[in-house]
Amino acid sequence: MSTSAITPAAGPGWPELPLPGPADVVLADGRLAVIRSLTPADGPALFALHDEVSDDALRMRFFNVSRPAARSYVEHVLAHPDTLALVAEVDGRLVGFATAEPIYGDTVDTLDTVEIALLVSDAHHGQGLGTLLLEHLFAVARDRGVRRVEADVLVENHPMLEVLAHAGFGLTQHPDRGVVTVNLTTTSTPALQYAADRREFQAQSRSLAPLLAPRSVGVAGVRSDGTGVGAAVVRSIASNGYAGRMVVIHPRHGSVAGVRAYPSFRDVPHPVDLAVIAVPAELTASALEDAAAAGVRAAVVISSGFGELGPQGKDLQRELSVLARTRGVRLVGPNCLGVLANDPAIRLNATFNAQQPPPPGGLAVASQSGGVGVVLLDRARELGLGVRSFVSLGNTADVSSNDLLAAWFDDPGVSAAALYLESFGNARKFARFAHRFSERKPLLAVVGGRSKPGRAGGVSHTAAAASSVVAVEALFAQSGVIGCVDTDDLVEAALLLTEQPLPAGPRLGVLSNAGGMGILVADAAETCHLVVPEFSAALSDLLAGLVHETSGTTNPIDAGAGVAPERMAAALDAVLSSGEVDAVVTVVVATGVTDGVEIVRRLEEVRARHPQIPVLLVPLGGLDVGHPEGLTTYDSPAAAVRAVGHAVSYVQWRAVPAAPLPVPDPTVVLAVRQWCRAALQDAPTEGRWLAASEARHLLGPYGLRLLGRVATGADGAAEAATRIGFPVAVKVGDTGGAHKSEKRLVRTGLTSAAAVRLAVSGFELHLGRAAGEVLVQPMESGVEMALGVVRDPTMGPLVMVAAGGVATDLWADRAFLLPPISLADAQHAVRGLRIWPLLEGYRGGRAADVADLERLVVDLGRLAVEVPEIAELDLNPVIVGSSSCSIVDVRLRLASTDDPGVGTPRQLRRIE
């Protein structure tokens, strides 16, 4: 293919890029809608939509009430693929239609501007459907290089003008003779994304209200003999004192387990908010259809036998998912434990967990594993951790962790959230939602099913280093998610975060009546990146008068085994009043020479006078004190310290101001992606490695410039070296992905044209063929770094920042980032590397141009997101000098992708 500069394709028509799959969206009234591309099969439904809308709606759309004109426009759209068209369906009916038609000037042969139009059925006005259609339409147009949008709107069409004004896109209005010409830009800005996310949060909250706060519940699949899962759910609901109405759906009995029964959901004389379905898998779709026909808007399918059991089960699950989507029912499961709405005003325990639920509180929990969910609930009950709600996600045919985060975001009863996940359906969206949630409330997570092996087929340094573990760690670190190692770690951290104020910093005070235990707490603090500060002379003197121990005046404080309760309390009061600690861990060991219970009571009184500092209690030696007011109790010092460490890390993440993310340039995105698709036309399924000249053209539009000149043959290399100036380095520009240094395809420090010719001849002798492209570069000095991109099958692109050179794998000094990457993300990653002291000027050395390195990281993140055809990319080494960065070598593999593009909303639900 040609290696000329990347420019957009000319001529009429939409560029050939993948279109997005159907996207599930939530309307303002809580119902589901599906937005997708128009197909020829939609013709009859599209004609019907235009025939059924009111005369007023038709006039607002076409500036007249001509039904034939409306039908002519439908015929035009169906016959002309140059019109980009999206439709919206609700309950299986086509209810919305949006188009973008190319505008070509007399002298402009590239597509840059479109004219948009929108029509929504009369029954669906005011539900946000128009705004959602526009969001998706703009995103698809943006992926195809469109920068500007025009729309002609009647002055009196206030709803349409309001939709355009509130969608978040920049716009200008030009009124003229009763018509307003609206000009908008398609640029995706942080403000636009935030507005879209806020709309979805509010819509998800309404959509999931029947699930999280149901006023009435119907259970289908309850055996009359009291056996089975359905009967267990009924017992759980009854024993927990559900405040709403419960009915059973049973074809033959009028009462089951003492609960009123009806043959079907449609026979229930009052509305049912939530259906709990426990019938055999093959009957589940029929039960869900019955519930939907009765107006039920949320369902929990506990039944198993779906996607977890192979192809036949996947087919049943797909049928269930499509049915829920088309009928507007929010579906949890299938193959799940159930749900718990633990608000004291609701008290719904619709699970088959045999244990009583934990006490009410502020923690919202979701788990993809029913077994892990049982463990989480049991541990929460044991520790006295208050739970607001619990959702067992099961196979996640519909409701996902993303949906729940959105619904919990504005819920004043939710003070923190905890997740157990085994997969990420839409990792980029999860990262965005988790970031927004974490800015407001703590979010904890455990991820199971991560394997340590990296990419089996990857040969680049970046691919070899990446794995699912580092992908999850990168996502959590950038999103503010508190990553926990197991369920105990999660519940213990959540206990602190829901019961105590956040610590202001990492300074930990340690108080105990057993010196050895205090030392163990101090040791654990170091591993959790906490500081056990040395107390000031004034505080030490004060403590010396209280504990009567020489060692007791230091931190950790040893109050002595026989300390009187009032003196132990006075010591805690002194530490909390000092301003020298941000949190305190107190260890009280039961002994025969003091009253441990009284000590805890006195500590409780002191804690009440200092509510702004978290205080944790570890009672040991068989001391049973229950759950004292104001003191969060742990079974071991290690658990208490680990919880403080999690809280401090979260506080430090929140303290970093949010930085703006880079904004895509639609023209650059379109041109580069078209170039990639052309490069892959004849490539094998695994893709192809690019030559140096190709890589240079691909990277250049993103500010990633390869050092030196590309030449052909020995004479061409010698001429390029002479122009650059000696000494130079030369290397083969196309090695098929092999590491050049390992293959002896690099020569450095060459001081003459003759030496360059000899080096290239040596390459050809080693290769057994002509060297082809040769990269000729000036010699550079500085700190060697490595940057790269690899695609995780779940998370998508990952960007690596690492110590570079030939030993990059040996040093294993690297960090991974999930793009898009802000400048703050890049700064944090670079400064967290072990090589950082060299970059800032170790022992009097010259400081490197770290700012330029960080810019490269941000630009590399843009490239990784906007060009999904990039499968692997190594920039190694990147030499960071005192005044600039130089990309010295590049290895880049392209591979085909069905990713529709950076700006297009992804399918929200994955149907297996």
Side-chain angles (χ1 to χ4, degrees), residues 629-657:
E629 185 72 24
L631 301 174
T632 297
T633 307
Y634 288 90
D635 298 333
S636 71
V641 173
R642 193 166 56 231
V644 177
H646 283 312
V648 168
S649 296
Y650 174 62
V651 168
Q652 292 171 338
W653 178 84
R654 282 187 27 162
V656 177

PDB file of all heavy atoms in Angstrom, residues 629-657:
ATOM      1  N   GLU A 629     -20.231   1.627  70.569  1.00  0.00           N
ATOM      2  CA  GLU A 629     -20.598   2.817  69.811  1.00  0.00           C
ATOM      3  C   GLU A 629     -19.359   3.622  69.441  1.00  0.00           C
ATOM      4  O   GLU A 629     -18.534   3.966  70.290  1.00  0.00           O
ATOM      5  CB  GLU A 629     -21.548   3.679  70.648  1.00  0.00           C
ATOM      6  CG  GLU A 629     -22.101   4.882  69.916  1.00  0.00           C
ATOM      7  CD  GLU A 629     -23.121   4.492  68.854  1.00  0.00           C
ATOM      8  OE1 GLU A 629     -23.725   3.407  68.990  1.00  0.00           O
ATOM      9  OE2 GLU A 629     -23.299   5.269  67.895  1.00  0.00           O
ATOM     10  N   GLY A 630     -19.230   3.929  68.148  1.00  0.00           N
ATOM     11  CA  GLY A 630     -18.144   4.794  67.688  1.00  0.00           C
ATOM     12  C   GLY A 630     -16.833   4.095  67.432  1.00  0.00           C
ATOM     13  O   GLY A 630     -15.923   4.683  66.849  1.00  0.00           O
ATOM     14  N   LEU A 631     -16.690   2.852  67.872  1.00  0.00           N
ATOM     15  CA  LEU A 631     -15.455   2.083  67.669  1.00  0.00           C
ATOM     16  C   LEU A 631     -15.737   0.956  66.686  1.00  0.00           C
ATOM     17  O   LEU A 631     -16.639   0.139  66.919  1.00  0.00           O
ATOM     18  CB  LEU A 631     -14.958   1.502  68.992  1.00  0.00           C
ATOM     19  CG  LEU A 631     -14.648   2.490  70.117  1.00  0.00           C
ATOM     20  CD1 LEU A 631     -14.319   1.734  71.396  1.00  0.00           C
ATOM     21  CD2 LEU A 631     -13.505   3.410  69.727  1.00  0.00           C
ATOM     22  N   THR A 632     -14.989   0.911  65.600  1.00  0.00           N
ATOM     23  CA  THR A 632     -15.166  -0.170  64.638  1.00  0.00           C
ATOM     24  C   THR A 632     -14.278  -1.334  65.056  1.00  0.00           C
ATOM     25  O   THR A 632     -13.060  -1.168  65.212  1.00  0.00           O
ATOM     26  CB  THR A 632     -14.808   0.307  63.219  1.00  0.00           C
ATOM     27  OG1 THR A 632     -15.714   1.348  62.851  1.00  0.00           O
ATOM     28  CG2 THR A 632     -14.935  -0.821  62.217  1.00  0.00           C
ATOM     29  N   THR A 633     -14.864  -2.501  65.227  1.00  0.00           N
ATOM     30  CA  THR A 633     -14.198  -3.637  65.850  1.00  0.00           C
ATOM     31  C   THR A 633     -13.719  -4.644  64.814  1.00  0.00           C
ATOM     32  O   THR A 633     -14.462  -4.998  63.881  1.00  0.00           O
ATOM     33  CB  THR A 633     -15.153  -4.334  66.839  1.00  0.00           C
ATOM     34  OG1 THR A 633     -15.666  -3.355  67.751  1.00  0.00           O
ATOM     35  CG2 THR A 633     -14.435  -5.419  67.618  1.00  0.00           C
ATOM     36  N   TYR A 634     -12.483  -5.121  65.015  1.00  0.00           N
ATOM     37  CA  TYR A 634     -11.883  -6.115  64.122  1.00  0.00           C
ATOM     38  C   TYR A 634     -11.374  -7.306  64.916  1.00  0.00           C
ATOM     39  O   TYR A 634     -11.033  -7.184  66.097  1.00  0.00           O
ATOM     40  CB  TYR A 634     -10.736  -5.495  63.318  1.00  0.00           C
ATOM     41  CG  TYR A 634     -11.231  -4.538  62.247  1.00  0.00           C
ATOM     42  CD1 TYR A 634     -11.401  -3.185  62.539  1.00  0.00           C
ATOM     43  CD2 TYR A 634     -11.552  -4.988  60.979  1.00  0.00           C
ATOM     44  CE1 TYR A 634     -11.874  -2.310  61.568  1.00  0.00           C
ATOM     45  CE2 TYR A 634     -12.026  -4.116  60.003  1.00  0.00           C
ATOM     46  CZ  TYR A 634     -12.187  -2.786  60.311  1.00  0.00           C
ATOM     47  OH  TYR A 634     -12.666  -1.933  59.364  1.00  0.00           O
ATOM     48  N   ASP A 635     -11.278  -8.450  64.219  1.00  0.00           N
ATOM     49  CA  ASP A 635     -10.812  -9.676  64.856  1.00  0.00           C
ATOM     50  C   ASP A 635      -9.306  -9.724  65.021  1.00  0.00           C
ATOM     51  O   ASP A 635      -8.806 -10.468  65.867  1.00  0.00           O
ATOM     52  CB  ASP A 635     -11.253 -10.903  64.038  1.00  0.00           C
ATOM     53  CG  ASP A 635     -12.763 -11.030  63.951  1.00  0.00           C
ATOM     54  OD1 ASP A 635     -13.440 -10.543  64.875  1.00  0.00           O
ATOM     55  OD2 ASP A 635     -13.258 -11.601  62.960  1.00  0.00           O
ATOM     56  N   SER A 636      -8.570  -8.986  64.196  1.00  0.00           N
ATOM     57  CA  SER A 636      -7.106  -9.051  64.236  1.00  0.00           C
ATOM     58  C   SER A 636      -6.510  -7.687  63.923  1.00  0.00           C
ATOM     59  O   SER A 636      -7.115  -6.877  63.206  1.00  0.00           O
ATOM     60  CB  SER A 636      -6.588 -10.078  63.223  1.00  0.00           C
ATOM     61  OG  SER A 636      -6.763  -9.586  61.894  1.00  0.00           O
ATOM     62  N   PRO A 637      -5.296  -7.415  64.450  1.00  0.00           N
ATOM     63  CA  PRO A 637      -4.626  -6.154  64.120  1.00  0.00           C
ATOM     64  C   PRO A 637      -4.369  -5.999  62.627  1.00  0.00           C
ATOM     65  O   PRO A 637      -4.501  -4.906  62.073  1.00  0.00           O
ATOM     66  CB  PRO A 637      -3.317  -6.240  64.905  1.00  0.00           C
ATOM     67  CG  PRO A 637      -3.594  -7.196  66.017  1.00  0.00           C
ATOM     68  CD  PRO A 637      -4.551  -8.191  65.448  1.00  0.00           C
ATOM     69  N   ALA A 638      -4.009  -7.108  61.945  1.00  0.00           N
ATOM     70  CA  ALA A 638      -3.717  -7.022  60.517  1.00  0.00           C
ATOM     71  C   ALA A 638      -4.934  -6.558  59.726  1.00  0.00           C
ATOM     72  O   ALA A 638      -4.820  -5.747  58.798  1.00  0.00           O
ATOM     73  CB  ALA A 638      -3.236  -8.382  60.003  1.00  0.00           C
ATOM     74  N   ALA A 639      -6.119  -7.080  60.085  1.00  0.00           N
ATOM     75  CA  ALA A 639      -7.338  -6.673  59.383  1.00  0.00           C
ATOM     76  C   ALA A 639      -7.623  -5.197  59.605  1.00  0.00           C
ATOM     77  O   ALA A 639      -8.003  -4.469  58.670  1.00  0.00           O
ATOM     78  CB  ALA A 639      -8.516  -7.519  59.859  1.00  0.00           C
ATOM     79  N   ALA A 640      -7.431  -4.721  60.831  1.00  0.00           N
ATOM     80  CA  ALA A 640      -7.686  -3.310  61.128  1.00  0.00           C
ATOM     81  C   ALA A 640      -6.738  -2.407  60.345  1.00  0.00           C
ATOM     82  O   ALA A 640      -7.161  -1.408  59.749  1.00  0.00           O
ATOM     83  CB  ALA A 640      -7.537  -3.067  62.629  1.00  0.00           C
ATOM     84  N   VAL A 641      -5.464  -2.751  60.331  1.00  0.00           N
ATOM     85  CA  VAL A 641      -4.477  -1.916  59.633  1.00  0.00           C
ATOM     86  C   VAL A 641      -4.727  -1.945  58.136  1.00  0.00           C
ATOM     87  O   VAL A 641      -4.628  -0.916  57.447  1.00  0.00           O
ATOM     88  CB  VAL A 641      -3.047  -2.392  59.967  1.00  0.00           C
ATOM     89  CG1 VAL A 641      -2.029  -1.651  59.120  1.00  0.00           C
ATOM     90  CG2 VAL A 641      -2.761  -2.178  61.444  1.00  0.00           C
ATOM     91  N   ARG A 642      -5.047  -3.109  57.604  1.00  0.00           N
ATOM     92  CA  ARG A 642      -5.325  -3.211  56.172  1.00  0.00           C
ATOM     93  C   ARG A 642      -6.511  -2.332  55.787  1.00  0.00           C
ATOM     94  O   ARG A 642      -6.509  -1.671  54.743  1.00  0.00           O
ATOM     95  CB  ARG A 642      -5.590  -4.665  55.805  1.00  0.00           C
ATOM     96  CG  ARG A 642      -5.578  -4.951  54.310  1.00  0.00           C
ATOM     97  CD  ARG A 642      -5.512  -6.443  54.035  1.00  0.00           C
ATOM     98  NE  ARG A 642      -6.606  -7.155  54.692  1.00  0.00           N
ATOM     99  CZ  ARG A 642      -6.446  -8.219  55.471  1.00  0.00           C
ATOM    100  NH1 ARG A 642      -5.241  -8.692  55.710  1.00  0.00           N
ATOM    101  NH2 ARG A 642      -7.504  -8.827  56.006  1.00  0.00           N
ATOM    102  N   ALA A 643      -7.534  -2.291  56.629  1.00  0.00           N
ATOM    103  CA  ALA A 643      -8.705  -1.445  56.356  1.00  0.00           C
ATOM    104  C   ALA A 643      -8.315   0.032  56.347  1.00  0.00           C
ATOM    105  O   ALA A 643      -8.761   0.800  55.484  1.00  0.00           O
ATOM    106  CB  ALA A 643      -9.786  -1.704  57.394  1.00  0.00           C
ATOM    107  N   VAL A 644      -7.480   0.445  57.302  1.00  0.00           N
ATOM    108  CA  VAL A 644      -7.007   1.833  57.315  1.00  0.00           C
ATOM    109  C   VAL A 644      -6.209   2.133  56.052  1.00  0.00           C
ATOM    110  O   VAL A 644      -6.347   3.197  55.437  1.00  0.00           O
ATOM    111  CB  VAL A 644      -6.168   2.124  58.570  1.00  0.00           C
ATOM    112  CG1 VAL A 644      -5.617   3.541  58.526  1.00  0.00           C
ATOM    113  CG2 VAL A 644      -6.998   1.932  59.831  1.00  0.00           C
ATOM    114  N   GLY A 645      -5.367   1.184  55.633  1.00  0.00           N
ATOM    115  CA  GLY A 645      -4.579   1.389  54.419  1.00  0.00           C
ATOM    116  C   GLY A 645      -5.456   1.605  53.198  1.00  0.00           C
ATOM    117  O   GLY A 645      -5.186   2.474  52.366  1.00  0.00           O
ATOM    118  N   HIS A 646      -6.518   0.817  53.066  1.00  0.00           N
ATOM    119  CA  HIS A 646      -7.450   1.006  51.954  1.00  0.00           C
ATOM    120  C   HIS A 646      -8.089   2.398  52.010  1.00  0.00           C
ATOM    121  O   HIS A 646      -8.213   3.083  50.985  1.00  0.00           O
ATOM    122  CB  HIS A 646      -8.549  -0.057  51.998  1.00  0.00           C
ATOM    123  CG  HIS A 646      -8.121  -1.402  51.522  1.00  0.00           C
ATOM    124  ND1 HIS A 646      -7.431  -1.596  50.338  1.00  0.00           N
ATOM    125  CD2 HIS A 646      -8.300  -2.648  52.066  1.00  0.00           C
ATOM    126  CE1 HIS A 646      -7.209  -2.890  50.167  1.00  0.00           C
ATOM    127  NE2 HIS A 646      -7.717  -3.543  51.196  1.00  0.00           N
ATOM    128  N   ALA A 647      -8.514   2.806  53.206  1.00  0.00           N
ATOM    129  CA  ALA A 647      -9.173   4.106  53.344  1.00  0.00           C
ATOM    130  C   ALA A 647      -8.216   5.241  52.994  1.00  0.00           C
ATOM    131  O   ALA A 647      -8.601   6.201  52.312  1.00  0.00           O
ATOM    132  CB  ALA A 647      -9.701   4.274  54.767  1.00  0.00           C
ATOM    133  N   VAL A 648      -6.969   5.141  53.418  1.00  0.00           N
ATOM    134  CA  VAL A 648      -5.985   6.190  53.128  1.00  0.00           C
ATOM    135  C   VAL A 648      -5.694   6.249  51.627  1.00  0.00           C
ATOM    136  O   VAL A 648      -5.606   7.334  51.037  1.00  0.00           O
ATOM    137  CB  VAL A 648      -4.698   5.955  53.935  1.00  0.00           C
ATOM    138  CG1 VAL A 648      -3.573   6.860  53.439  1.00  0.00           C
ATOM    139  CG2 VAL A 648      -4.960   6.201  55.414  1.00  0.00           C
ATOM    140  N   SER A 649      -5.554   5.107  50.977  1.00  0.00           N
ATOM    141  CA  SER A 649      -5.319   5.099  49.526  1.00  0.00           C
ATOM    142  C   SER A 649      -6.465   5.771  48.783  1.00  0.00           C
ATOM    143  O   SER A 649      -6.258   6.515  47.820  1.00  0.00           O
ATOM    144  CB  SER A 649      -5.139   3.661  49.026  1.00  0.00           C
ATOM    145  OG  SER A 649      -3.998   3.067  49.583  1.00  0.00           O
ATOM    146  N   TYR A 650      -7.678   5.494  49.236  1.00  0.00           N
ATOM    147  CA  TYR A 650      -8.847   6.112  48.615  1.00  0.00           C
ATOM    148  C   TYR A 650      -8.838   7.624  48.825  1.00  0.00           C
ATOM    149  O   TYR A 650      -9.103   8.389  47.885  1.00  0.00           O
ATOM    150  CB  TYR A 650     -10.113   5.495  49.213  1.00  0.00           C
ATOM    151  CG  TYR A 650     -11.400   6.152  48.768  1.00  0.00           C
ATOM    152  CD1 TYR A 650     -11.779   6.159  47.431  1.00  0.00           C
ATOM    153  CD2 TYR A 650     -12.245   6.753  49.698  1.00  0.00           C
ATOM    154  CE1 TYR A 650     -12.961   6.754  47.025  1.00  0.00           C
ATOM    155  CE2 TYR A 650     -13.429   7.346  49.310  1.00  0.00           C
ATOM    156  CZ  TYR A 650     -13.783   7.351  47.967  1.00  0.00           C
ATOM    157  OH  TYR A 650     -14.950   7.953  47.572  1.00  0.00           O
ATOM    158  N   VAL A 651      -8.506   8.071  50.014  1.00  0.00           N
ATOM    159  CA  VAL A 651      -8.425   9.511  50.295  1.00  0.00           C
ATOM    160  C   VAL A 651      -7.368  10.168  49.419  1.00  0.00           C
ATOM    161  O   VAL A 651      -7.580  11.259  48.868  1.00  0.00           O
ATOM    162  CB  VAL A 651      -8.124   9.743  51.788  1.00  0.00           C
ATOM    163  CG1 VAL A 651      -7.738  11.194  52.050  1.00  0.00           C
ATOM    164  CG2 VAL A 651      -9.325   9.365  52.641  1.00  0.00           C
ATOM    165  N   GLN A 652      -6.234   9.516  49.250  1.00  0.00           N
ATOM    166  CA  GLN A 652      -5.170  10.079  48.414  1.00  0.00           C
ATOM    167  C   GLN A 652      -5.600  10.159  46.960  1.00  0.00           C
ATOM    168  O   GLN A 652      -5.259  11.116  46.259  1.00  0.00           O
ATOM    169  CB  GLN A 652      -3.895   9.242  48.579  1.00  0.00           C
ATOM    170  CG  GLN A 652      -3.276   9.364  49.963  1.00  0.00           C
ATOM    171  CD  GLN A 652      -2.138   8.378  50.188  1.00  0.00           C
ATOM    172  OE1 GLN A 652      -2.041   7.340  49.517  1.00  0.00           O
ATOM    173  NE2 GLN A 652      -1.283   8.678  51.152  1.00  0.00           N
ATOM    174  N   TRP A 653      -6.346   9.168  46.489  1.00  0.00           N
ATOM    175  CA  TRP A 653      -6.844   9.227  45.108  1.00  0.00           C
ATOM    176  C   TRP A 653      -7.806  10.397  44.947  1.00  0.00           C
ATOM    177  O   TRP A 653      -7.738  11.138  43.966  1.00  0.00           O
ATOM    178  CB  TRP A 653      -7.550   7.914  44.759  1.00  0.00           C
ATOM    179  CG  TRP A 653      -8.137   7.914  43.378  1.00  0.00           C
ATOM    180  CD1 TRP A 653      -7.495   7.619  42.219  1.00  0.00           C
ATOM    181  CD2 TRP A 653      -9.484   8.266  43.022  1.00  0.00           C
ATOM    182  NE1 TRP A 653      -8.361   7.753  41.148  1.00  0.00           N
ATOM    183  CE2 TRP A 653      -9.581   8.152  41.606  1.00  0.00           C
ATOM    184  CE3 TRP A 653     -10.599   8.666  43.741  1.00  0.00           C
ATOM    185  CZ2 TRP A 653     -10.765   8.410  40.924  1.00  0.00           C
ATOM    186  CZ3 TRP A 653     -11.780   8.937  43.064  1.00  0.00           C
ATOM    187  CH2 TRP A 653     -11.854   8.805  41.679  1.00  0.00           C
ATOM    188  N   ARG A 654      -8.703  10.582  45.909  1.00  0.00           N
ATOM    189  CA  ARG A 654      -9.678  11.669  45.807  1.00  0.00           C
ATOM    190  C   ARG A 654      -9.023  13.035  45.902  1.00  0.00           C
ATOM    191  O   ARG A 654      -9.578  14.023  45.417  1.00  0.00           O
ATOM    192  CB  ARG A 654     -10.729  11.537  46.912  1.00  0.00           C
ATOM    193  CG  ARG A 654     -11.749  10.487  46.582  1.00  0.00           C
ATOM    194  CD  ARG A 654     -12.919  10.376  47.506  1.00  0.00           C
ATOM    195  NE  ARG A 654     -13.340  11.535  48.231  1.00  0.00           N
ATOM    196  CZ  ARG A 654     -14.543  11.646  48.796  1.00  0.00           C
ATOM    197  NH1 ARG A 654     -15.422  10.663  48.662  1.00  0.00           N
ATOM    198  NH2 ARG A 654     -14.888  12.701  49.482  1.00  0.00           N
ATOM    199  N   ALA A 655      -7.854  13.103  46.514  1.00  0.00           N
ATOM    200  CA  ALA A 655      -7.190  14.396  46.693  1.00  0.00           C
ATOM    201  C   ALA A 655      -6.588  14.931  45.397  1.00  0.00           C
ATOM    202  O   ALA A 655      -6.286  16.124  45.296  1.00  0.00           O
ATOM    203  CB  ALA A 655      -6.095  14.280  47.748  1.00  0.00           C
ATOM    204  N   VAL A 656      -6.412  14.066  44.396  1.00  0.00           N
ATOM    205  CA  VAL A 656      -5.837  14.504  43.117  1.00  0.00           C
ATOM    206  C   VAL A 656      -6.961  15.081  42.252  1.00  0.00           C
ATOM    207  O   VAL A 656      -7.927  14.384  41.956  1.00  0.00           O
ATOM    208  CB  VAL A 656      -5.162  13.331  42.386  1.00  0.00           C
ATOM    209  CG1 VAL A 656      -4.627  13.783  41.034  1.00  0.00           C
ATOM    210  CG2 VAL A 656      -4.044  12.756  43.240  1.00  0.00           C
ATOM    211  N   PRO A 657      -6.865  16.344  41.860  1.00  0.00           N
ATOM    212  CA  PRO A 657      -7.936  16.946  41.055  1.00  0.00           C
ATOM    213  C   PRO A 657      -8.113  16.201  39.737  1.00  0.00           C
ATOM    214  O   PRO A 657      -7.136  15.746  39.121  1.00  0.00           O
ATOM    215  CB  PRO A 657      -7.451  18.387  40.817  1.00  0.00           C
ATOM    216  CG  PRO A 657      -6.398  18.631  41.852  1.00  0.00           C
ATOM    217  CD  PRO A 657      -5.762  17.299  42.130  1.00  0.00           C
TER     218      PRO A 657
END
